[in-house]
Amino acid sequence: MTEPDPRDRIADAAMTILREHGALTTEEWGRRLADAGYGSAREIEDVVEALDDYDLGFLPDGRNLALGPLLEGRTLTHRLTDAEIAAGILDANPDLTPLTTFAFDSEQGFRVVFEGLDDDVFAERGVTDPDFLYDEGLLLEPGALAGYAAGDLVAITAVDGGLELRRVAGEPASAPDLTAALRRIVPEDAAEHLDALVWQLMIDDPALFVAPTVPLAELIDAAGYVRDGDYLAVRGFDFATHRLAAQIGMVAREHELHPDEARAVVEFLDLVRQTQEQAALGADPRTYAHEQISADVDAFVLLSDPAVAAAALELVSEFDDRTEALHAVAVGLVDLAPRRAKAAACWLAGKAADRLGDVLAARSYYDEALSHDPDWIPAIFDLALLAADGGDVTRAQSLLGRIEGGESEALHDVLQRFAPREHPELGRNDRCWCGSGRKYKACHLGRSELTSDDRAAWLYSKAQLFMRSPELFDILFDLAEIHAAPGADDGELLRAIEGGPAVDVALFEGGLFELFVGRRGALLPAEELDLAGQWVRTRRSVYTVVAAADDVVTLQDLRGDDTVEVTHEGAGRDLNVGAVVCARLLPTGSATLLALGGMEPVEASAADDLVALLAGDPEPEALVEFLGAHSLLRS
């Protein structure tokens, strides 16, 4: 039986405290939890910071609150448009967003939908205008607005943890004047989040919004305030400057950068965004990027610091559709930026080229980066990885040795394992030890002497290193979290990340091995590329252990009745006859099979369900969750 996650217990207690005590600062909140015996300050802080509950809100002064008690019985109104009536979707921003938390668990047919995330819903409802929603909408049951006309006022009320919709007959008799209340809360030189403001207004005036009044947007306008997206400020406020300052501050905090460095990152991100938008309109991205960079060639010089360049790449990577724009901007910087920034520009161009599928161009850019700055560590490290992928252990070790602390990298351990053995008894021009008849220098000097099993293990290690790149690591981490037992400590999570089902599922069901082959195929030795093709076609299965010894285990496939042998050191260790295991058995190019992703022992009672699950090509998350829930290693 799976033990409950202690973090869930703390999270439930945290929300109970907010409901009982009202708005609290994070410090007050944590102190009450600690006083109630829910753990150490550090444990509580970690849970509270990660808490994601529909009922959790915040106020302009930073305090936290439970929304349910505050919003119960409150009513906000909205004027309908023809498009909303036809679609049965209300544009929630700004009139209704303070109440939409109730739409996540409503019995009245409400559902929150988002522009860009729920395009299938909009298409189903006949919405063709891409600007129909600013961001957030309320999806109603089909026909819920039949009989309404544009301009009609509807009221949305929070009732018993859900929402109710009704028509407002005529115009409300009066409308509250929010001028003085907003002046007390919103500084003249700042913008505040709209939902937080409305929640604060409700706390300050318990009688506010208990009966239908004019829509929130009209109340805000009458008070002399304006909106920009989710934020509100006094009329005339410079939202563009505010957004820029907020973004710079966020980047500086999250990446520990100086504000000037963060500004360079933000401006780089903005140029990539603009380039992507112009390309979508038909402009040539390279030409556009060159023109913009030429206007201020010094704007991105601070990207020369590897930490700054890495932050820029990480933030651009959050947008899947901007790789071509990233490449165009980076190439523009390679051509135009001051020499100080050339190495960073080449590295960024290489990362973009790699993601576009041209690893040879990427390698060329990394080499060029080192021609501008021989000590530019990100390019050195990426060249070491590519050398290892190509089988050149000697060059990879040489490159890694140029990095301070390089011996602590996972790549170092892999290289040590597969490094070629030296033959000091042979001169460079002597006949090679292997019997090929060729000179040692032209045959095995500096090259690995791997068995087929070794080469298979190395190929798997290469794919693991590829998967651990910042671009892809979150995929592995999320699966490892799912597989680890509830309440798993850092050690357990680390073990799940380093090997086993989460790793193997991320590689194969998660598609990362195919991505690795697609990106690195031009570098892989021919025999490894052929082996990789076989692996992609190999299925995961469920087996019973027929016989087990230290170095060999015989398995019967429950998905096909075939009997196979897995042979390598420790293969049958800790496995008993009759045990049920889940594994992907990979060919090595010889007669042997290896379970490089491990053999996960599972409860025998779960075998049939696991066979059925695998037959349906499950999503990676579902498979890892099943394996984690039924793993005998949790016992």
Side-chain angles (χ1 to χ4, degrees), residues 373-624:
D373 183 350
D375 298 320
W376 219 75
I377 291 175
I380 296 174
F381 185 74
D382 281 320
L383 281 171
L385 285 170
L386 296 187
D389 287 337
D392 192 343
V393 177
T394 302
R395 174 165 167 73
Q397 286 179 319
S398 176
L399 287 163
L400 196 61
R402 293 164 58 180
I403 300 174
E404 184 178 354
E407 66 278 359
S408 65
E409 295 287 346
L411 175 60
H412 176 270
D413 294 337
V414 172
L415 295 175
Q416 289 291 102
R417 179 180 176 187
F418 298 111
R421 295 194 302 270
E422 295 183 4
H423 288 266
E425 75 280 5
L426 295 178
R428 293 172 56 84
N429 293 314
D430 290 342
R431 296 297 179 187
C432 187
W433 58 268
C434 72
S436 67
R438 302 171 67 199
K439 292 181 179 180
Y440 181 43
K441 67 180 181 182
C443 192
H444 267 90
L445 178 60
R447 292 178 173 82
S448 187
E449 305 164 17
L450 300 179
T451 66
S452 58
D453 285 8
D454 290 337
R455 188 164 291 283
W458 192 9
L459 176 61
Y460 196 89
S461 295
K462 292 175 183 181
Q464 283 184 280
L465 289 170
F466 174 80
M467 178 172 58
R468 292 172 188 274
S469 69
E471 173 196 3
L472 304 172
F473 181 73
D474 282 351
I475 298 172
L476 169 59
F477 185 86
D478 290 346
L479 290 176
E481 276 200 315
I482 293 172
H483 183 266
D489 59 26
D490 292 344
E492 291 174 284
L493 183 57
L494 181 60
R495 286 190 290 275
I497 290 170
E498 289 179 340
V503 171
D504 203 62
V505 170
L507 283 173
F508 291 96
E509 282 82 0
L512 296 185
F513 186 78
E514 281 193 83
L515 181 63
F516 162 72
V517 175
R519 294 261 196 95
R520 296 292 179 266
L523 299 178
L524 293 174
E527 58 269 36
E528 290 184 23
L529 188 58
D530 178 68
L531 194 60
Q534 297 178 51
W535 287 7
V536 169
R537 298 187 296 273
T538 300
R539 70 177 189 174
R540 185 182 308 279
S541 197
V542 188
Y543 302 88
T544 54
V545 178
V546 176
D550 185 60
D551 295 338
V552 61
V553 59
T554 305
L555 303 172
Q556 183 176 5
D557 189 347
L558 297 183
R559 297 184 69 188
D561 288 332
D562 294 336
T563 300
V564 295
E565 284 190 350
V566 179
T567 308
H568 62 87
E569 183 179 356
R573 191 177 300 156
D574 301 325
L575 288 179
N576 299 316
V577 172
V580 176
V581 297
C582 183
R584 184 186 299 273
L585 303 183
L586 299 173
T588 66
S590 64
T592 59
L593 295 172
L594 296 179
L596 293 169
M599 290 185 283
E600 181 83 346
V602 297
E603 299 162 347
S605 60
D608 290 343
D609 289 340
L610 182 53
V611 168
L613 179 66
L614 292 176
D617 295 324
E619 292 297 319
E621 295 81 4
L623 177 54
V624 167

